[in-house]
Amino acid sequence: MALARKSDLGDLAAEIERLQGRIDTMQRRRADTALVPVSEELSPLFPGGGLAPGSVYAVESSTSLLLALLSEASRAGSWCAVLGIPALGTEAASAYGIALDRLALIPHPGERWMSVAAAVSEVMPLIVVRPPTRPRDAEVARLSARLRDRGSVLVIDGDWSGADVALRLDDPRWEGLGTGYGLLRSRTVTVTARGRRSAGTRRSRVQLPGPTGGLFTPRSPAPTPFPAFPAGSDELALRRDERALASLGAS
């Protein structure tokens, strides 16, 4: 076996040192990259209180939660993109505080939606995608590598193999309706987050949507007042009718 010459060993050591320097620089750059902010109500769900650059988050069938995840980053000045959700309206996005002049909507990305998402990640720090088809593992790996390289965050509407955090809504309770009268004002839900690399789950109870369509921390609801009775009506008779209707609905 031939022995390596001293000059060859010196060149190899220099190359190793150069590569190690590049790795250190990349690691420092990623460590210095700030988390993408989320609202105060949702921050307890995420390690560090925000969305980690280069990560993938999966949301189980909730457009409200998708918009809530975008809202704080958009308020802070970030550009956001939404792919494959043609029914998403700008009025709903605006109600959550998303800046429409920094929101890119691509309702029909087509069969090559993975390539479109990868291209968008080059310029957008926060991307929401509803996959029209199930991607291959190799495609998922390539897109994940692109996200890590660019420091972008991908939020998937639906299931996603290898998502860093999966979120879902549970125990929804609407407020605002009385016995046969009233209007829906808000919905209180429990948002549950389960991390791929962490044990256990995190939960947060929030109003989604809140009274004005955005995201709010729930408060104890005030008692719903009885509606005003028409002049000259028999108040006791009307209340008896309400109790009778309530008993029929409970049976």
Side-chain angles (χ1 to χ4, degrees), residues 178-182 224-230 233 235 238-239 242:
T179 305
Y181 61 89
T224 304
F226 284 102
F229 293 100
S233 65
E235 179 175 339
L238 286 172
R239 294 198 177 187
E242 288 178 349

Side-chain angles (χ1 to χ4, degrees), residues 187-211:
R187 180 184 63 168
T188 303
V189 298
T190 298
V191 184
T192 302
R194 183 181 296 275
R196 181 160 58 95
R197 298 184 181 89
S198 58
T201 59
R202 300 177 180 225
R203 294 180 175 86
S204 183
R205 191 75 175 160
V206 299
Q207 287 182 345
L208 185 66

Side-chain angles (χ1 to χ4, degrees), residues 73-109:
S74 180
R75 288 192 188 98
S78 290
W79 278 80
C80 307
V82 179
L83 283 68
I85 311 181
L88 179 66
T90 55
E91 185 176 352
S94 180
Y96 278 80
I98 297 171
L100 300 183
D101 58 346
R102 292 191 298 274
L103 175 64
L105 299 178
I106 307 174
H108 303 287

Side-chain angles (χ1 to χ4, degrees), residues 3 5 18 44 87 143 168 170 178 231 244:
L3 296 176
R5 293 176 299 177
R18 185 183 69 82
L143 181 57
R168 59 175 294 171
D170 294 299

Side-chain angles (χ1 to χ4, degrees), residues 25-112:
T25 300
M26 293 172 65
Q27 289 175 338
R28 285 196 300 272
R29 184 176 60 197
R30 288 178 182 147
D32 293 341
T33 303
L35 294 172
V36 175
V38 296
S39 62
E40 182 181 353
E41 294 85 355
L42 297 179
S43 61
L45 298 170
F46 305 99
L51 305 178
S55 298
V56 180
Y57 300 84
V59 174
E60 184 179 313
S61 302
S62 173
T63 303
S64 296
L65 184 52
L66 291 172
L67 294 175
L69 288 174
L70 296 181
S71 61
E72 194 64 26
S74 180
R75 288 192 188 98
S78 290
W79 278 80
C80 307
V82 179
L83 283 68
I85 311 181
L88 179 66
T90 55
E91 185 176 352
S94 180
Y96 278 80
I98 297 171
L100 300 183
D101 58 346
R102 292 191 298 274
L103 175 64
L105 299 178
I106 307 174
H108 303 287
E111 296 181 358
R112 301 188 62 186

